[in-house]
Every structure is written in C-alpha cells, then in structure tokens.
Amino acid sequence: MEGFAQVVQMAVLALVQGLTEFLPVSSSGHLVLAKAALGFNAMSGLGVELLLHGGTLVAVCLYYRRLIGSVATGLWRREVKAWRFAFAIVVSMIPAVVVGLLFEEPLERLAECPLFVCGALVFTGCLLLATRVWGRDEGREVSPIRGLLMGVAQAVAMLPGVSRSGCTIAMSRFLGVGSTDAAAFSFLMVVPVVLGGNALHVMKTFHGSGGGAFEGLSWPLAVVGFGISAAVGYASVAWMVQLLGRHAFWRFGFYCLAVGIGGGVFLLLK
C-alpha cells in the first residue's frame, strides 16, 4: 500500500507540474503548497522537482520541434536570424546559471517554506497585473539585450513561488516583444538551464559527491511522474500560447493573488 500511495502522490504532483509549468502561476510554488496541504512528505526533495521539470522540458521541445529544427538548420546554413536567436538564448542563461551556482542551498531551503512561497505568489500576481497597465505588444524581436533582460527575470523566478513564465513573459511585454516571439523564447530559454541542472545532479549522484538528488526514486515513480508531467505539460503550453494571442495573460494575476493570500491565511491558521 505504501508503494501505491507514493505512485498516487507522484501522479498528483506531476499533474500539478504539467498544468502550472507554462501558465504564469509558478509550478514550483504549487508543488510546495500541494505537498504542504496534502501531506506528501514522501515526495519532497530536489530529485522529484528535477524529474517533473524534465517531463515538461520534453513537452516544450515537442511543441516547438519545428522552430527548434528551423533554428538548427539556420545555424548550419549560417543564417544571421538563427544565430541571433541562438545567441540570445545563450545570453539569457547567464543570470540563472550565476544565481543557481551561488545560491543553490538557500533556494532549496526557501522551497521548504510554504509561507515564503505564498508571499512570492502575491508578488507574481502583482507583476502580472502590472502588464495590463505597462505591457505592450509592439512586435519587436528578442534581441540579445532583450534576451539578457528576460534572463534576469528568469533568475528572479528561481525564488520558489515566483512564476518563471510569468516573469519572463512579463518582461517581454514591458520590452514590447511580440506575443508569439515572447512565448517561444520564454519557453525555450529554460531548456538549456533545466538540461544543465539535471545533468549536474545526475553527475553528482553517479560520482557519489553528496548530491544524490534522485536517491530513493524508483523506476515506476519516475515513469509515472515523467510521463504525466510531459503529457499534461504539452497541453498546457498549447493553451498558454493561445492565451497570449488573446492578450489574456494578465488575468492570471488575480489567481496568483488569491492562492498566495488564501494559502498564507490557511497556513497561519492551520
């Protein structure tokens, strides 16, 4: 029964991850609150989050497979537009890599603090609502400079409870980037960061250097978590692209405020 309960817990968390990874509501924040509210103590740890993020990583790569293929072909043919896009992706990684290397342990500790997550969700909600006033779609492309600024937003979103897609797309709206380009860049810029993070922790695990992020995760749990987060994540990214096209992105701010404030009250009265 214990094994079955763990599978159920993993399935629930994978569903939460898939639904919230690409919506501007903070998947990490929802995972923390879901664990706290439902008592999923067995599913805590960095390995679970890395596994679930791996599933949604596959989802976004599948959704943007044609764009990825087009950029790869353009790089091979030395097309300026493709190299410009790829360079912007590389530049956008720098802030997150620096923050991740310098503050990995403090960030992990904050992920174990549900009240902090609630406050971060309130911040996310305010940021999303701000795009209603100051956001604009001027059809600009993502230049390396704009990519770097979106990378700074991604680094801020490493705080648990701050939405990564919310921060990066909000920054793109403030910069006047077109909605289609904003969505594609925001979702693809995380790919090398997640790949690098997972690779780093896998290396630590196999070399026995004290990382062991995936220790205790069985293959059935891994398959369930990875599969559900990938399938649900694919549907989620498709929905988010449609919402951006309809300029309904900012409305998630009300949801983040409600969850952040409501979750904080619940935790304080619990």
Side-chain angles (χ1 to χ4, degrees):
M1 289 298 293
E2 181 180 351
F4 177 74
Q6 288 185 343
V7 171
V8 171
Q9 290 182 19
M10 178 63 82
V12 171
L13 294 180
L15 180 63
V16 171
Q17 168 69 18
L19 285 172
T20 59
E21 171 66 11
F22 302 109
L23 300 180
V25 296
S26 178
S27 61
S28 62
H30 277 70
L31 287 176
V32 171
L33 294 180
K35 293 174 187 178
L38 300 175
F40 287 0
N41 297 324
M43 290 295 105
S44 61
L46 180 62
V48 173
E49 290 202 26
L50 290 174
L51 175 72
L52 299 182
H53 276 86
T56 48
L57 178 70
V58 169
V60 74
C61 287
L62 286 175
Y63 185 85
Y64 283 109
R65 59 190 181 278
R66 293 181 180 176
L67 174 59
I68 294 173
S70 175
V71 172
T73 302
L75 292 175
W76 177 259
R77 295 175 178 174
R78 299 181 181 179
E79 296 175 1
V80 174
K81 186 176 181 179
W83 278 95
R84 182 180 173 87
F85 183 86
F87 182 63
I89 289 285
V90 172
V91 169
S92 74
M93 295 169 51
I94 297 174
V97 170
V98 171
V99 170
L101 291 175
L102 294 179
F103 303 104
E104 179 181 2
E105 291 186 6
L107 289 172
E108 289 183 27
R109 288 196 296 270
L110 286 176
E112 302 299 325
C113 180
L115 273 178
F116 177 87
V117 169
C118 290
L121 279 168
V122 171
F123 167 79
T124 298
C126 293
L127 181 66
L128 298 181
L129 292 176
T131 64
R132 175 65 172 173
V133 180
W134 293 290
R136 59 193 189 277
D137 183 348
E138 299 177 352
R140 295 178 179 176
E141 294 184 353
V142 182
S143 65
I145 294 297
R146 296 188 186 105
L148 177 61
L149 292 174
M150 290 177 70
V152 171
Q154 178 170 247
V156 172
M158 295 179 74
L159 291 168
V162 178
S163 168
R164 193 203 63 81
S165 63
C167 263
T168 54
I169 294 177
M171 177 63 78
S172 74
R173 305 295 283 182
F174 297 144
L175 296 172
V177 176
S179 58
T180 301
D181 287 346
F185 192 84
S186 173
F187 295 148
L188 289 178
M189 67 188 287
V190 76
V191 171
V193 175
V194 174
L195 279 176
N198 280 15
L200 177 62
H201 287 285
V202 168
M203 288 174 60
K204 286 183 178 179
T205 298
F206 282 107
H207 288 286
S209 60
F214 301 99
E215 185 178 355
L217 284 177
S218 64
W219 280 108
L221 284 176
V223 170
V224 169
F226 189 91
I228 294 178
S229 62
V232 178
Y234 187 92
S236 178
V237 67
W239 186 34
M240 185 60 189
V241 170
Q242 292 181 357
L243 291 175
L244 280 173
R246 298 201 298 265
H247 303 288
F249 168 79
W250 63 275
R251 295 176 183 171
F252 282 96
F254 294 114
Y255 172 82
C256 291
L257 287 176
V259 174
I261 296 172
V265 172
F266 171 79
L267 290 169
L268 290 173
L269 297 178
K270 186 177 178 181

